[in-house]
DNA sequence: CGGAGCATTGAACATCTTCAATAGCGGTGG
DNA sequence: CCACCGCTATTGAAGATGTTCAATGCTCCG
């Protein structure tokens, strides 16, 4: 469940735990990182194309998404981020934004100055390696999205996205049984999957009709993991979770 | 011109120069990196899904590509790499391969042991930052590909890919005027653009018909950069080239 | 000359989009 | 409490873009 957070940096530590083993010294350095906590309203740009941020943002609560805007008002959503994610860690080394970052829901974020972050990473190479790893996992997510967009049909694409969002939330403790929050609206899912919202809606009907998922009230429930993963040709390797958190059949589990 | 290379690591230094300013100490550390040079035949897997490489490979000559294999024999090409690129730098921190890496043409590559690389990066944080930056630029390329696959039509997708491949080669000195090598065959371009080779072929005909490009003998010639970039909605920001190497109109230039 | 591997073309078909309308749902003001 | 508003979801029908299948051409090379 969308439980709160204690110390802000703890949320990050928890996320990093899901992708690597963190040394104690690194954890302490992380927890001591200076930061500012901010509440942001939903559907609000955090950084925009062309910006040169001097801080990185960490999601503590809510959903954030990354998108690129096209001519004709079109938009491609590149990725979704949830609590614990560091959506613009990249601005530490890529100084000019080549896309936009925005809140999907209302959010609580922590802002960390690049200078502070650089100083801490210089003293803690292990932590630097972990964050580098995190950004490489981000890239792995992109690769999988490319595969989806390029070679999967709409049904598989949607199924794949659901598998991914479920497991990522599970890895940081945001699921309950086979249910998890699903903040994006249909039009936003469509913009992230290269579909129109009309067609996405039809695909959702099919998934429901086949008894694979249930949707409603911002909650996704996976009714049949095995069948869903099969439709999606889902293989969790690309998530690079430390404990290989992809259950063969996450059927009945009490969280 | 596909010119040769001097010291292997020099090719890498040249590539890194195109994306960042390298300190002298870092450059020397780089040039001193222990490595093995290898000749590889065309269409040959370098590392495969599931592998756990203990070295990273650097392309000195030829083209390399990254792909994921799907059921039904399908394949999605995720990206192409050219001389100077470090296509599996990522394996330094992502221990298990979640996709495949293969040669497109016959290649000369340099192999660098992870242990050696780690040692050098530990002593040269500036170099580590540059390589981190390089991997973030790799991710930026993925993002742009996602945008193409999700929201551009076939014509724009192909045009965009040509703009990208031309500029990337230009950045490391592999172009001559408005021409550059184009190693992928039509079926490979198609697999990277989420199209069938049949449809790609038709799109190429259109591009030729409109006088935007000429293709032949493994050489791409851009006949009208401005029009091509317009069809592609191409913005070079995502390449993150140090000298913003995207010419407004790279019309007549002698290299 | 013959063959292999690509490139090119045609025709029928599938998937997904577009345009447009209707339905549902949650919240607000009277 | 109820009518209304705004936003999202849902549905239908027509059309566009891209696929599939199958055949032919082209070019390089032994």
């Amino acid at each position: 469940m969308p439980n709160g957070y204690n110390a802000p940096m703890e949320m990050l530590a928890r996320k990093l735990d899901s992708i690597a083993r963190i040394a104690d010294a690194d954890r302490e350095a992380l927890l001591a990182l200076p930061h500012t906590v901010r509440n942001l309203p939903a559907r609000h740009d955090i950084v925009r194309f062309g910006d040169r941020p001097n801080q990185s943002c960490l999601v503590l609560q809510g959903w954030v998404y990354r998108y690129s805007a096209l001519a004709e008002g079109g938009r491609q959503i590149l990725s979704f981020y949830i609590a614990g994610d560091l959506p613009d860690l990249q601005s530490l080394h890529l100084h000019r934004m080549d896309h936009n970052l925005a809140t999907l829901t209302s959010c609580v974020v922590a802002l960390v100055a690049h200078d502070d972050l650089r100083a801490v990473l210089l003293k803690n190479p292990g932590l630097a390696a972990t964050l580098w790893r995190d950004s490489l996992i981000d890239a792995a997510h992109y690769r999988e999205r490319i595969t989806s967009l390029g070679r999967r049909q709409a049904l598989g694409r949607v199924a794949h996205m659901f598998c991914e969002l479920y497991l990522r939330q599970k890895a940081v403790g945001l699921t309950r049984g086979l249910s998890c929050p699903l903040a994006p609206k249909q039009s936003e899912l469509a913009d992230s999957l290269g579909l129109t919202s009309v067609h996405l809606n039809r695909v959702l009907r099919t998934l429901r009709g086949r008894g694979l998922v249930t949707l409603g009230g911002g909650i996704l429930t996976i009714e049949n993991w095995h069948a869903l993963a099969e439709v999606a040709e889902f293989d969790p390797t690309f998530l690079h979770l430390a404990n290989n958190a992809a259950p063969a059949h996450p059927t009945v589990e009490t969280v």
Side-chain angles (χ1 to χ4, degrees), chain A residues 10 14 22 26 67 73 188 205:
Chain A
E10 203 140 312
R14 185 167 165 192
I22 317 290
D26 289 337
Y67 70 99
E188 289 155 343
R205 180 171 49 178

Side-chain angles (χ1 to χ4, degrees), chain A residues 7-240:
Chain A
M9 287 302 122
E10 203 140 312
M11 191 68 234
L12 176 55
R14 185 167 165 192
K15 150 69 183 284
L16 295 182
D17 275 334
S18 78
I19 60 162
R21 254 190 298 277
I22 317 290
D24 287 345
D26 289 337
R27 181 183 310 274
E28 279 164 36
L30 189 65
L31 297 177
L33 209 48
H35 59 272
T36 320
V37 174
R38 268 275 188 56
N39 290 294
L40 299 176
R43 272 87 192 172
H44 167 263
D45 280 347
I46 301 174
V47 277
R48 299 210 176 100
F49 183 99
D51 285 356
R52 297 173 169 278
N54 53 16
Q55 55 189 5
S56 281
C57 105
L58 156 66
V59 184
L60 301 177
Q61 218 173 73
W63 289 57
V64 163
Y65 72 108
R66 193 190 280 290
Y67 70 99
S68 66
L70 291 103
E72 317 288 322
R75 157 179 89 156
Q76 173 67 40
I77 293 184
L78 300 161
S79 47
F80 295 112
Y81 295 96
I82 57 175
D85 287 336
L86 267 164
D88 74 330
L89 179 54
Q90 48 133 29
S91 63
L92 187 65
H93 295 296
L94 249 39
H95 310 300
R96 182 156 185 263
M97 291 293 292
D98 59 13
H99 61 273
N100 308 276
L101 195 66
T103 59
L104 191 62
T105 64
S106 65
C107 283
V108 185
V109 302
L111 301 175
V112 180
H114 285 166
D115 289 342
D116 292 333
L117 193 50
R118 256 188 283 267
V120 168
L121 296 185
L122 200 56
K123 281 188 198 154
N124 301 81
L127 189 57
T130 301
L131 292 190
W132 189 349
R133 173 173 162 87
D134 183 67
S135 69
L136 289 168
I137 291 177
D138 200 42
H141 294 169
Y142 293 143
R143 284 196 291 271
E144 196 63 32
R145 187 68 56 85
I146 290 173
T147 303
S148 258
L149 291 171
R151 287 289 175 247
R152 280 189 256 264
Q153 310 221 123
L155 193 72
R157 261 184 238 175
V158 177
H160 198 279
M161 166 115 289
F162 285 167
C163 289
E164 173 186 333
L165 290 178
Y166 173 78
L167 285 186
R168 281 174 55 200
Q169 293 192 84
K170 184 174 160 70
V172 289
L174 293 173
T175 57
R176 161 173 286 190
L178 283 169
S179 293
C180 66
L182 186 74
K185 301 183 189 318
Q186 290 189 9
S187 63
E188 289 155 343
L189 279 177
D191 277 346
S192 91
L193 292 167
L195 301 171
T196 57
S197 62
V198 170
H199 194 59
L200 176 75
N201 182 280
R202 291 181 173 129
V203 168
L204 291 180
R205 180 171 49 178
T206 304
L207 285 175
R208 270 192 303 249
R210 294 201 195 167
L212 303 185
V213 303
T214 315
L215 284 163
I219 300 288
L220 164 70
T221 302
I222 297 180
E223 302 292 348
N224 185 338
W225 172 269
H226 182 68
L228 187 68
E230 187 156 309
V231 166
E233 288 191 40
F234 186 82
D235 181 315
T237 303
F238 78 98
L239 293 171
H240 294 277

